[in-house]
Amino acid sequence: MPSAVTLIRSSALSSAAEYAYAATAPADSRLIFLAGSCPLNEDGSTAGVGDYAAQAARCIETMTIALHAASAELTDVISTRVLVASSRQADLVAAWEVVRDAFGEHDVPSTLMGVTVLGYDDQLVEIEAVAAVVD
């Protein structure tokens, strides 16, 4: 099924950003608001302790499972917010590269930010997302 999401680009804005600057979904779409996807294993332990990229990958896996439960796919995501517990730009970039690669050409609008701390022991990355589907 084709995605309800339309990514919007503008030649008046920098092409350095690795994402679309805006996205829309039709009025008849069902919006899906995902909780922050965390890098947790099934037993509740934190995956990839100390590894920003590994935690970002686990967050993407978690997000994909949550999307499937709502009858959606990564291509139905309309925006993301990537939270990284670090003040170092290199750590943010390590997490972002995993997220960017996971979304591929469906480069949704996204915010990447460093935060002081996240909710679980040893947690370094969390990804929030909104998706839209037409049933």
Side-chain angles (χ1 to χ4, degrees):
M1 172 186 323
S3 175
V5 176
T6 301
L7 300 178
I8 300 169
R9 303 172 197 294
S10 172
S11 61
L13 297 170
S14 172
S15 62
E18 297 178 319
Y19 47 81
Y21 278 97
T24 63
D28 64 343
S29 61
R30 176 172 52 93
L31 295 179
I32 304 164
F33 297 88
L34 286 85
S37 295
C38 299
L40 299 179
N41 296 312
E42 285 187 31
D43 66 2
S45 64
T46 302
V49 173
D51 186 333
Y52 290 92
Q55 287 201 9
R58 181 63 185 136
C59 290
I60 292 293
E61 290 173 21
T62 301
M63 177 188 305
T64 301
I65 293 167
L67 285 165
H68 288 169
S71 299
E73 305 286 335
L74 281 178
T75 54
D76 296 314
V77 171
I78 195 166
S79 69
T80 66
R81 183 177 304 141
V82 182
L83 310 171
V84 181
S86 179
S87 61
R88 292 178 9 120
Q89 187 178 29
D91 298 335
L92 276 69
V93 169
W96 171 249
E97 288 175 344
V98 172
V99 174
R100 179 200 61 211
D101 291 350
F103 279 90
E105 295 204 12
H106 186 69
D107 54 345
V108 299
S110 189
T111 299
L112 172 65
M113 66 178 108
V115 299
T116 304
V117 66
L118 292 166
Y120 293 99
D121 292 341
D122 301 312
Q123 182 182 3
L124 301 172
V125 180
E126 187 163 335
I127 305 171
E128 297 178 1
V130 177
V133 295
V134 176
D135 292 320

